[in-house]
Amino acid sequence: MTANKEWILVLDFGGQYNQLIARRVRECSVYCEIRPYNKITPGEIRKLAPSGIIFTGGPNSVYGEGAPQTDPEIFSLGIPVLGICYGAQLMAYQLGGQVTTPETREYGKTETIFEQDCPLFRDLPRQGITWMSHTDYIERLPEGFQVTAYTMDCPSAAMQRLERKLYGVQFHPEVLHTENGTQMLQNFLYTVCGCTGDWTMRRYAEAAVQELREKIGNGRVLLALSGGVDSSVCAALLAKAVGSQLTCIFVDTGLMRKNEGDEVEAAFAQWDISFVRVNAGERFLSRLAGVEEPERKRKIIGEEFIRVFEAEAKKLGQVDFLAQGTIYPDVVESGLGDAAVIKSHHNVGGLPDHVDFKEIVEPLRLLFKDEVRALGRELKLSEVLVSRQPFPGPGLAIRVLGEVTPEKVALVQEADAIFREEIARAGLDGSIHQYFAVLTSLRSVGVMGDERTYDYTVALRGVTTTDFMTADFARIPYEVLERASSRIVNEVKHVNRVVYDVTTKPPATIEWE
Ligand code: XMP
């Protein structure tokens, strides 16, 4: 919990949009936390005194065996409740209404009529599109409730019991397809719950610095800095809080993008922290010599990373805290385990076992990715780091197909740098979520001047995605591809062909290995 007075409790009933609801609430400048529906009692809620409660949707039917339920006392705490989809059905059911499975389910964009005065829909049009995704519906409202919206198939698309501040909506206001959905949530937060919107990154940064100072005292903190957004912002926050008590170990694997190691070092040169850069490129490359199999490469890099990190950490002797850049989606997905969640670090393949520390600190564990970036900007962290696109821990080793050699790494670095330059020059860097060059290790015949060539093919990849689980290939204009291609074959030795990857994920993955 942060020290925010205003906050919203999002009770999670297993809906696919649970994090989206939380993000929308925070976009309205109100802090919120997601808790599993069965991990908090009405007594605890009373003590924590949220300004309001939102029930998420969920895949169950309220009648189903083992369907998630709350203690109905929650409706009598005097705290406003907004139930969304399953949350609304549950509210209806637990307060004595009736929920039924009709013949047809309602799914997708649905014309909705907002017929009654309701604070949620204040100042909004009386008719509009909402996003529906439900099988059951509320057939009979509980006593004291009134219908506030309906659709052709759903007579109770929204309901309220004004004097008890209980509201339900069958549709999903958090999904952007719902017209004015964010406004409806904002109405709930500001008009019903009385929030004023005190959640800003400036205040968060101040409170987090204070908290970290209290927790860490005179202790020493160690952080493995990868140069990615999360670990960089984590470093910046700790630097502000405890300055010289922080040691960042930055393992330069030699497998980063062109100039990236230097950029990371330069970004931290201004801070009064102890920054250790380990140039381990040769070590990594010699371990990778002769290895072609992608999973093997990943494993080697993960293990080697830990070894280098541990060796360096040991030189420091006892540290008191190991810092990690765990962020809120990791916390939510791990079921909000009560103990600190140790991120099975996707980047480095595990955490050091042999580093001597007392406790873990995770100063970003309450933040979503876009909030982490906003915090980085608030802390004046270099924009190069704040807006960095995702980069895999094994780095360019998985963008050189097959065996990795220093020459091939240098080659893909050059091609990648040119591609990135051209994307930036075309102003596309904000809209393409990840883009890079791959050295395919395939050689083909070409002609340059009067000479026949037999050289490498570089593949360019650009994707748009919301969560990196699925992705579409980016529709990069031909002119931009043309410039990148022509520069790459002209400026990068031993490349005579450039192709653009036009597969989606699935069936392809974003990376080639
Ligand atoms: P794929 O290739 O699985 O990639 O579609 C999805 C996203 O994950 C990134 N990625 C990694 N990130 N360590 C990481 O930290 C890895 O081993 C790794 N492999 C893939 C990839 O860049 C993309 O953003």
Side-chain angles (χ1 to χ4, degrees), residues 372-386:
V372 173
R373 292 188 207 274
L375 176 60
R377 293 197 174 97
E378 182 64 43
L379 295 167
K380 311 263 183 300
L381 186 64
S382 142
E383 191 58 32
V384 185
L385 294 186
V386 171

Side-chain angles (χ1 to χ4, degrees), residues 60-65 67-69 86 89-91 93 99-100 136:
N60 301 70
S61 171
V62 290
Y63 293 114
E65 210 176 299
Q69 306 231 343
Y86 179 85
Q89 294 167 6
L90 185 70
M91 180 188 289
Y93 175 65
V99 177
T100 312
D136 291 357

